[in-house]
Amino acid sequence: MWSLQSTFLRLLAGLLTVVGVTGLLFVLRGRLDTPSIALVYVLAVGASTAWLGLLAGLAAAFAAFMLFNFLFIAPFYTLRILQPEAVIDLVVLLVVAVVISQLLGRAQAGMARAQAQEDATLRLYDLSTALIGETGFSGIARTLARSAVGAFRASAVRVTLRDGAMAVLADALEPEGAPAPDRAPRDIQKVLIGRGGSGEIQIWAEQPKPTEGEARLLRAFASEAALALERAQLAQAETRARVLEQSDALKSALLSSVSHELRSPLATILASVTGLASPEIEWDSAARMDLLTTIEEEADALNFLVGNLLDMSRIESGSLAPQRRSNALGEIVSAAVFRMRRALTGHPVHVEIPAELPPADVDYFQIEQVFANLMSNSAKYSPGGSGIRIVAEAADDLWLRVQVENQSPPIAEEQLQQIFDKFHRIYPDERITGTGLGLSICKGIVEAHGGKIWAANLRHGVVFHFTLPRAASLPAAAEEP
Amino acid sequence: MTSGPRVLVIDDEPQILRALRTILTAKHFVVTTASRGEEGLALAAAQPPDLVILDLSLPDLDGTEVCSRLREWTNVPILVLSVRERERDKVAALDRGADDYLTKPFGIEELLARVRVALRHAAQAQGERRRVVRAGEVTIDLGERRVTRGDEEVRLTAKEHRLLAFLAAHPGRVLTHRAILSAVWGPEDADHVEYLRVYIRQLRLKIEADPDRPQYILTEPGVGYRIILDG
C-alpha cells in the first residue's frame, strides 16, 4: 500500500483516479449501461477514500459525479440533469465517500490509539528495565529524566527526589548540563514513596498540553519511579545491615583473638605472681628465678601484641605516618631478631644482607615490626628446628627487595592474597593462636612506605617478599650488586 | 614429702606450662606436662594421674574431645583452664565430663583451692560410697532418705530429695543444668531450667542458713550448680 503525504497530492491523486476510471469507461461506454458505470464510479470513490482520506474521497466523489453527469447521462456533454435519479447518484457517491472515510478514519484512529498504547507500554517497559539496574537515588533520577524526555517529547525534564525530612537525595535535569528552563514546567507529577520521602517529575515541552495518553503515561512513570525508589531504599537498608553485620563480625573476631592473645600471657603472669606471693608456698631461688623469667617473657609477648594493636589502629585511622630516615636494613633485622629471640627459640635465623646494601628510606620501628611479625609467623607455622632466612638486595635504583623465607607448609594458592587481610587466619580454629593481625600490619606498613608485599610458595616453605624505598642520599650506581 | 599427688597439665602455651610446673612442683605435686591432646591422653594412660588440668585450645584435639576420651576409661578429676569464658564453652566441657572450670587468667590460690576440692572428692568417690554425708549442720542420709539440720528433721518432697541426693552424689563437681534435669526429671525435661531454679530455691530455704548467700548449694552462673560437702 502506498501513501501520499501532502493533502494536495492526495486530492490530485483522488481526482486522477476518477479521471483515469472515466477514460476507461469512456472507451467502453457503448458496452456498459448507466448503472454499471455508476457502480464503477462508486468503486473508484471508495478506493480513493480508503487510500487517500476523506478529502480526496469527497473530491473524487464530486469529480465522479460531474464526469458521470457530463459524459454518461443524457443530455451528454452538459451538466444539466434531466432525470431526478441523477441527484440520487450524486448523493450515493457522496454518502459512500463519507461513510467509507468515517469507517476507515475510526479504524485508523483505533490503530493509532493502539499504537500509542503500545508505544507507552514500551516506554514504560524500557523505563522499568532501566530502573531495575539502578540502586542509587541519583541513578534512578537520571534514568527517569532521560526516559521522560523521550516519552513526553519534552524539551527538558527535571526529577527531584527527597527523603522523609525533605532533604534532597537526588536532582537530575535532562538534557544534562543545560540550564533549567526559566518558565514554569508544563507538568508536575508527584512521586510518593512508601517508606517516607517523595519526588517530583517536572516536564517542559513545546506542546501546551499533554495528550490524555501522555498524562496517563506520566502517572505510570511516577508509580514505576516509586517502586524503584522503594527498591533502592530496601537495598540500601540491606547494604547497611550487611556492612554492620560484617563490621560486627570483624569486631568480634578481633575481640576473641585479642582476648585470647592477651589473656594467655596474662594468665601466666597472674599465676606466677600470685604463686610467688602465696604464703602457702616456700620458694627456692631457682624456682623463683624461673617464674620471674617467665613473667618477663610474657610481659615481652604482651608488649609485642600491644605494639601490633597500636599499629593496627594507626593503619585503620590512617595515622601511620612513617618517620622515614636513611636506615641500614641489617641493623633493623638484628634488632628484630634480638627482640624476638624468645619466640624464635628453635628457629635459627640466617640473615644474608650484604654490607654494601644501600640504605633504606624507612621508619626504623615500623620496619622492625614488619620483620618481627614475619619472623614470629614463620616460627609459629613452621616445624620446630627449621630455619628462617632473610635476604635483602637492591632491586633497582629506587627499591630494595627483601625476602623472608621459612619452611612452613605451603599456603593454598587462593589464600596467598587473603593472608594479608585483617583477621584472616589460615587455621581459623585456635590450633595455632594468633590475632590474624600480623600480616595485615606488615602490609599496612610496607604500603605506607610505598612498597609492595606478597607471598609465594617455595618447594619446601613459604617466602614473603616486600619492597622498600632506597634512601636517595647515596649515588645509586655504586651499590648495584 | 616427695611423692605428692600426680598432676597432668595439658596446655599448648609453653609459658603457662612452665609456670604451673614450677608452682605445682613447689606445692609438692608430681607434675607431668603435655602440649598436645594426643600426647596428654598417652601420658594419662601410661601413668594415670590423680588430677588432670586441661586447656581447651590444643593444636591437635579440642579440649572437650580430650575430656570425652579420658572419660571413656577413667574418673580422674578434670579441671579445665581456658580463656574461653562463654557459658556454652563451659557447659560443653562439663557435659563432656570435666569436673570444674576455671577461666584464664586466674590467681594461683583459686587454682590450688579447686585442685584440693577435686582431689578430696575423688578420694571420697574412690572409697566406699558413703550413706551419710554432711554439709555444716546439715546431715544427709542418702540410704534412709533423711535430712536433718541440727537436731531438726528437714521435710523434703520426693523430688527435692532426689535433687539433693543427686547433687550430694557428685560433691564439688560442677553439674550442668542439663545433667541435673536429665538425671532428676528425665531427659525430656532437660531444657526446663526454670523447674530447677524453683527446686534449688526450695532446697536452699530448707537447708541453707541464709538462702540468699548459700554455703552448700552454689550457683555456677549460666552453667549449673555444685554442692560443697564437708571432707
Side-chain angles (χ1 to χ4, degrees):
Chain A
M1 183 164 155
W2 46 271
S3 67
L4 282 172
Q5 290 306 313
S6 91
T7 315
F8 174 73
L9 282 180
R10 284 160 184 250
L11 280 178
L12 201 65
L15 293 176
L16 281 177
T17 308
V18 174
V19 171
V21 166
T22 308
L24 205 65
L25 289 171
F26 195 72
V27 173
L28 301 173
R29 66 184 184 283
R31 303 185 202 167
L32 295 171
D33 58 356
T34 313
S36 305
I37 293 170
L39 274 177
V40 173
Y41 272 118
V42 168
L43 197 63
V45 167
S48 298
T49 315
W51 285 331
L52 303 168
L54 178 59
L55 271 180
L58 288 176
F62 269 106
F65 170 70
M66 292 301 177
L67 289 171
F68 179 54
N69 189 5
F70 192 72
L71 296 176
F72 301 107
I73 295 177
F76 298 113
Y77 313 119
T78 70
L79 287 175
R80 273 190 310 132
I81 301 166
L82 290 185
Q83 292 125 327
E85 302 96 272
V87 178
I88 295 175
D89 293 344
L90 176 63
V91 171
V92 166
L93 278 176
L94 287 177
V95 167
V96 164
V98 169
V99 167
I100 287 182
S101 78
Q102 282 289 311
L103 284 176
L104 216 66
R106 221 176 289 167
Q108 272 166 354
M111 203 137 92
R113 245 201 324 274
Q115 192 78 46
Q117 219 135 39
E118 189 185 336
D119 199 48
T121 313
L122 269 179
R123 298 240 179 235
L124 210 54
Y125 174 76
D126 286 346
L127 175 69
S128 67
T129 321
L131 284 177
I132 278 179
E134 297 291 347
T135 48
F137 293 117
S138 50
I140 289 174
R142 178 61 55 201
T143 306
L144 201 55
R146 198 168 293 153
S147 306
V149 166
F152 303 106
R153 292 167 296 156
S155 54
V157 173
R158 176 178 213 148
V159 175
T160 316
L161 305 175
R162 292 189 166 81
D163 65 9
M166 294 310 281
V168 174
L169 293 169
D171 187 18
L173 181 69
E174 274 290 323
E176 227 171 332
D182 46 11
R183 61 205 157 89
R186 185 190 71 184
D187 311 310
I188 298 180
Q189 174 67 46
K190 292 266 179 232
V191 179
L192 288 177
I193 311 168
R195 300 162 65 87
S198 63
E200 207 171 68
I201 307 174
Q202 295 172 299
I203 293 177
W204 289 267
E206 298 306 325
Q207 276 77 15
K209 266 172 70 94
T211 64
E212 200 177 313
E214 282 176 339
R216 226 181 3 250
L217 182 59
L218 184 54
R219 288 195 293 277
F221 260 51
S223 19
E224 201 59 50
L227 276 178
L229 289 168
E230 210 157 319
R231 216 165 38 227
Q233 284 176 334
L234 281 172
Q236 285 197 350
E238 199 187 336
T239 310
R240 264 200 300 277
R242 207 169 33 235
V243 167
L244 278 179
E245 207 172 283
Q246 274 171 355
S247 96
D248 262 10
L250 273 186
K251 268 185 211 143
S252 62
L254 175 66
L255 276 179
S256 84
S257 65
V258 166
S259 75
H260 183 269
E261 289 298 284
L262 285 173
R263 277 202 178 127
S264 297
L266 275 177
T268 307
I269 292 174
L270 192 62
S272 305
V273 168
T274 52
L276 284 173
S278 168
E280 288 184 45
I281 309 173
E282 286 170 23
W283 292 104
D284 62 44
S285 60
R288 174 173 298 143
M289 202 55 225
D290 197 30
L291 284 181
L292 287 173
T293 312
T294 307
I295 293 169
E296 188 195 344
E297 290 173 9
E298 292 298 84
D300 273 352
L302 276 179
N303 190 35
F304 174 68
L305 177 64
V306 170
N308 263 346
L309 285 174
L310 273 179
D311 281 342
M312 193 71 237
S313 69
R314 288 194 190 114
I315 291 170
E316 290 279 278
S317 66
S319 61
L320 191 64
Q323 306 283 311
R324 288 160 70 159
R325 299 225 161 68
S326 175
N327 279 298
L329 273 193
E331 276 178 37
I332 298 181
V333 171
S334 308
V337 171
F338 180 75
R339 179 153 72 100
M340 300 305 290
R341 64 191 181 282
R342 296 192 186 97
L344 292 172
T345 312
H347 296 276
V349 180
H350 309 284
V351 182
E352 295 170 26
I353 299 183
E356 66 277 13
L357 184 78
D361 181 29
V362 295
D363 183 307
Y364 184 97
F365 294 103
Q366 290 182 8
I367 298 304
E368 194 213 338
Q369 188 80 6
V370 170
F371 281 108
N373 280 340
L374 290 178
M375 289 190 292
S376 147
N377 252 51
S378 297
K380 230 188 289 186
Y381 291 96
S382 42
S386 65
I388 298 169
R389 184 164 165 258
I390 299 180
V391 184
E393 61 190 7
D396 54 35
D397 290 352
L398 295 174
W399 298 96
L400 300 176
R401 186 163 54 221
V402 188
Q403 278 156 257
V404 177
E405 292 176 21
N406 60 44
Q407 295 173 26
S408 64
I411 299 169
E413 286 298 317
E414 68 274 12
Q415 299 244 24
L416 281 174
Q417 296 243 322
Q418 295 170 18
I419 51 172
F420 294 102
D421 291 351
K422 204 170 22 158
F423 306 127
H424 181 82
R425 303 194 46 217
I426 300 180
Y427 309 105
D429 53 8
E430 296 176 32
R431 293 188 179 178
I432 295 182
T433 59
T435 51
L437 289 177
L439 288 180
S440 72
I441 288 169
C442 292
K443 184 171 189 249
I445 292 176
V446 169
E447 286 177 353
H449 284 79
K452 283 200 286 273
I453 185 166
W454 67 98
N457 285 315
L458 299 172
R459 206 141 61 88
H460 299 290
V462 172
V463 58
F464 291 92
H465 296 271
F466 58 98
T467 57
L468 292 174
R470 286 173 60 161
S473 56
L474 289 165
E479 285 83 30
E480 285 300 322
Chain B
M1 206 160 79
T2 45
S3 58
R6 314 169 57 85
V7 178
L8 169 62
V9 187
I10 310 176
D11 197 314
D12 68 327
E13 310 264 341
Q15 305 290 3
I16 191 84
L17 277 187
R18 194 166 141 197
L20 286 180
R21 177 198 284 282
T22 308
I23 294 165
L24 292 173
T25 305
K27 283 294 287 178
H28 310 294
F29 288 95
V30 178
V31 183
T32 33
T33 61
S35 57
R36 302 169 70 85
E38 293 289 358
E39 183 192 355
L41 287 168
L43 279 174
Q47 286 186 309
D50 298 310
L51 176 82
V52 175
I53 295 178
L54 174 68
D55 183 18
L56 289 184
S57 317
L58 296 173
D60 52 346
L61 295 176
D62 193 77
T64 53
E65 176 68 21
V66 177
C67 273
S68 345
R69 302 242 318 246
L70 281 172
R71 279 290 170 263
E72 285 168 10
W73 59 275
T74 175
N75 280 320
V76 62
I78 303 173
L79 174 50
V80 168
L81 278 189
S82 173
V83 292
R84 297 186 202 166
E85 55 185 349
R86 284 175 308 181
E87 283 147 12
R88 60 187 164 98
D89 291 324
K90 297 185 185 177
V91 170
L94 294 166
D95 276 343
R96 300 282 209 105
D99 290 80
D100 204 348
Y101 195 109
L102 200 55
T103 1
K104 290 179 182 175
F106 53 88
I108 206 71
E109 308 276 356
E110 176 75 9
L111 175 70
L112 293 175
R114 304 276 183 114
V115 167
R116 269 196 297 275
V117 168
L119 287 174
R120 194 174 71 213
H121 287 131
Q124 287 168 6
Q126 274 192 345
E128 206 174 321
R129 186 98 180 246
R130 287 183 305 171
R131 271 186 50 203
V132 180
V133 296
R134 265 174 250 284
E137 52 173 358
V138 180
T139 307
I140 306 165
D141 186 329
L142 295 170
E144 296 280 318
R145 310 187 76 198
R146 252 166 58 97
V147 178
T148 52
R149 182 173 161 189
D151 298 329
E152 277 175 65
E153 175 159 358
V154 181
R155 302 184 63 84
L156 295 179
T157 66
K159 195 69 104 188
E160 286 165 357
H161 189 273
R162 278 176 66 187
L163 174 59
L164 184 61
F166 181 71
L167 292 174
H170 303 90
R173 245 185 98 168
V174 180
L175 298 167
T176 62
H177 297 135
R178 268 189 97 74
I180 302 173
L181 284 160
S182 306
V184 179
W185 273 265
E188 66 280 6
D189 286 318
D191 291 324
H192 292 160
V193 183
E194 67 280 4
Y195 296 177
L196 190 51
R197 294 228 171 81
V198 171
Y199 276 84
I200 291 282
R201 174 83 195 153
Q202 287 170 4
L203 271 185
R204 281 176 176 161
L205 284 169
K206 289 178 181 178
I207 67 172
E208 295 277 1
D210 179 356
D212 293 322
R213 268 184 289 277
Q215 303 287 311
Y216 309 122
I217 302 176
L218 305 185
T219 302
E220 292 291 319
V223 175
Y225 299 94
R226 81 161 109 202
I227 195 165
I228 298 296
L229 300 177
D230 297 348

